[in-house]
Amino acid sequence: MANVLIIGAGGVGSVVAHKCAMNSNIFTTIMLASRTQSKCDRIAAEIQEMHGVTIQTAQVDADVVADVVSLIQSFNPVLVINVALPYQDLPIMDACLEAGVHYMDTANYEPKDVAKFEYSWQWAYKERFEKAGLMALLGCGFDPGATQVFTAYANKHHFDRMDYLDIVDCNAGNHGKAFATNFNPEINIREITQPGRYWENGEWIEIPAMSIHKPIDYPEIGPRESYVLYHEELESLVKNFPTLKRARFWMTFGQAYLTHLEVLQNVGMTRIDPVKFNGMDIVPLEFLKAVLPAPDTLGENYTGQTSIGCQIKGVKDGADRTYYIWNNCDHAETYREVRGQAVSYTTGVPAMIGAMLILTGVWLKPGVWNCEELDPDPFIEQMNKQGLPVNDRVDVPLPHEY
Ligand code: NDP
């Protein structure tokens, strides 16, 4: 049906490439391109061996718009799936506009020199994409991504008005390493060392990083200490669902992880400004990334599950209603299926589903869109078919109070 170009060959890019190859009736020709071509070649060989599908590979520096345009023109895809880093979002969007192809990603743009993530930069492309008759789908991983689809699904089927939203994200897995991050270390550490932020009564409340926490009971996992963080989908959710009085994002962290992080912060290793070392400028966080395990190497002995969902309280037919919608995903099972751990898998599968819904015309709509602005039903249907089964429960007491 269509050519698709995937940019970025890390943990997530590998899962996207595997899952597109496993749906080769829709993704008829696949190219995986990244900064280091040998990583693309290794994934291509794995896909050939596991699924009997041949994919093409290429080298590209996605910071250079002209290079991305040339690659698009030579391969001629209908859509570019950007699973490189958030820094590359704007150059790849520019290249898609220039070459006349659709765009999607899994994380919003952030400039390299300030740890600041917000949608304003990408929302500013709306008119240009609309005029070109092209679509840009933003943040179509799990969180952001599936969590917004969950919220839209709740709004469509279970509420007349949503008042309170808590996104709850647990990784109860064990990879056996002393310290590692489950997705790109640089992006992950920038995210969680920022002050926390949540939405309440029409304004953002800022809190010191990790200062609000409590145990939340996750299905099939049990209680895990969970911390309020700022997470990018909150920005679009409170805009698109303005009745929300409060919206928060919770994520679990183990004590060992937090202790390592505190030490790294205290000694300056999470700094993102350059320091002089042997006459060279180096950024401590970039150096730290180089010595930490890469997310795509964690899968082999990873055990346990992730559980990510939305807990919502509001009103239906004049009565109070509570609703919980979630997915649990098992690290060892995803490794068996696509050689990736569950955090890469829960990001890569929704990305493939978003791409599928664009290519089949189901979600195709010119402009720049966040996931909750599109019909959630076909997405949920595909999650159930593509390895991320969705559970939900209506009118049960939610695990933590509102
Ligand atoms: P990795 O670090 O494993 O992979 C990133 C890949 O991007 C690497 O292959 C890297 O190449 C490549 N890359 C980096 N810079 C460039 C460039 N200039 N040109 C071309 N390729 C480049 O990260 P992950 O796979 O874990 O994460 C990928 C994306 O997914 C990130 O944006 C992350 O924020 C997002 N994410 C989203 C989630 C969600 O639920 N929405 C959850 C988890 C991640 P090289 O190998 O040469 O370094």
Side-chain angles (χ1 to χ4, degrees):
M1 184 185 255
N3 288 6
V4 66
L5 171 61
I6 303 162
I7 301 184
V12 178
S14 171
V15 173
V16 175
H18 273 263
K19 291 301 276 196
C20 288
M22 291 162 77
N23 287 276
S24 57
N25 55 329
I26 288 166
F27 304 97
T28 38
T29 315
I30 301 160
M31 176 181 274
L32 177 61
S34 195
R35 189 165 52 186
T36 313
Q37 192 173 345
S38 57
K39 291 194 185 173
C40 306
D41 293 340
R42 183 192 59 71
I43 295 165
E46 199 173 77
I47 288 173
Q48 178 67 55
E49 192 192 316
M50 292 176 72
H51 318 297
V53 174
T54 306
I55 70 164
Q56 300 178 36
T57 62
Q59 194 280 332
V60 73
D61 180 350
D63 289 321
V64 184
V65 177
D67 291 2
V68 182
V69 172
S70 310
L71 182 65
I72 295 174
Q73 285 167 344
S74 66
F75 177 60
N76 204 21
V78 176
L79 166 74
V80 174
I81 305 176
N82 166 21
V83 275
L85 297 180
Y87 318 128
Q88 279 82 52
D89 288 3
L90 300 188
I92 299 179
M93 286 177 88
D94 286 330
C96 286
L97 277 173
E98 198 174 325
V101 298
H102 303 299
Y103 168 88
M104 62 173 285
D105 63 36
T106 63
N108 69 9
Y109 174 70
E110 48 181 295
K112 228 175 170 15
D113 54 347
V114 212
K116 179 177 176 197
F117 28 94
E118 59 176 50
Y119 280 115
S120 59
W121 287 287
Q122 291 181 278
W123 284 342
Y125 280 69
K126 193 169 180 75
E127 215 180 298
R128 272 176 283 166
F129 271 85
E130 249 164 32
K131 278 200 180 130
L134 296 172
M135 177 169 193
L137 176 62
L138 307 183
C140 193
F142 208 105
D143 44 350
T147 50
Q148 288 138 284
V149 173
F150 285 175
T151 310
Y153 184 83
N155 186 59
K156 181 173 174 181
H157 297 287
H158 297 289
F159 289 97
D160 296 326
R161 193 188 76 222
M162 297 192 296
D163 292 328
Y164 299 99
L165 165 69
D166 284 88
I167 299 172
V168 292
D169 177 333
C170 171
N171 180 5
N174 179 7
H175 47 54
K177 313 263 188 227
F179 182 78
T181 63
N182 295 287
F183 67 95
N184 184 278
E186 196 183 322
I187 303 300
N188 186 211
I189 290 172
R190 281 163 70 112
E191 178 177 280
I192 64 184
T193 52
Q194 289 310 295
R197 208 176 346 149
Y198 62 94
W199 181 256
E200 192 163 48
N201 298 325
E203 59 180 358
W204 292 108
I205 311 288
E206 192 164 298
I207 54 168
M210 308 289 181
S211 59
I212 297 182
H213 55 99
K214 62 174 146 187
I216 292 178
D217 200 1
Y218 294 90
E220 296 172 55
I221 291 169
R224 288 285 190 281
E225 200 64 18
S226 308
Y227 296 77
V228 169
L229 296 184
Y230 178 65
H231 223 242
E232 63 197 55
E233 67 265 47
L234 294 176
E235 184 185 5
S236 66
L237 283 168
V238 300
K239 175 170 163 268
N240 290 316
F241 299 109
T243 62
L244 284 173
K245 295 185 183 126
R246 186 170 65 205
R248 299 180 292 196
F249 182 97
W250 302 79
M251 188 178 270
T252 59
F253 296 99
Q255 196 47 53
Y257 182 96
L258 293 175
T259 306
H260 275 84
L261 192 64
E262 193 181 350
V263 173
L264 291 168
Q265 267 186 294
N266 286 345
V267 298
M269 281 308 294
T270 60
R271 281 173 57 176
I272 60 172
D273 54 316
V275 295
K276 281 273 181 239
F277 179 73
N278 282 351
M280 273 171 18
D281 276 342
I282 63 159
V283 174
L285 184 57
E286 287 177 6
F287 179 74
L288 176 63
K289 177 190 175 246
V291 296
L292 287 177
D296 59 357
T297 62
L298 298 176
E300 198 167 354
N301 299 309
Y302 218 139
T303 54
Q305 295 187 53
T306 61
S307 179
I308 315 173
C310 296
Q311 303 183 344
I312 301 164
K313 186 174 178 189
V315 173
K316 178 75 175 171
D317 299 329
D320 282 354
R321 162 156 294 183
T322 53
Y323 180 67
Y324 184 14
I325 176 167
W326 76 95
N327 161 265
N328 273 33
C329 187
D330 185 276
H331 288 285
E333 273 174 28
T334 63
Y335 186 75
R336 271 193 296 279
E337 187 190 320
V338 297
R339 295 285 178 272
Q341 35 93 348
V343 176
S344 305
Y345 189 88
T346 53
T347 311
V349 175
M352 181 281 292
I353 294 173
M356 174 187 275
L357 296 180
I358 293 174
L359 294 184
T360 53
V362 179
W363 266 18
L364 185 60
K365 183 154 113 163
V368 175
W369 304 102
N370 292 91
C371 291
E372 69 272 28
E373 296 177 279
L374 300 147
D375 183 4
D377 294 357
F379 196 99
I380 300 273
E381 188 188 319
Q382 284 302 325
M383 286 182 74
N384 284 317
K385 287 187 184 156
Q386 301 286 348
L388 292 176
V390 178
N391 311 286
D392 68 347
R393 240 182 277 160
V394 178
D395 286 339
V396 286
L398 290 174
H400 63 283
E401 84 336 298
Y402 280 86

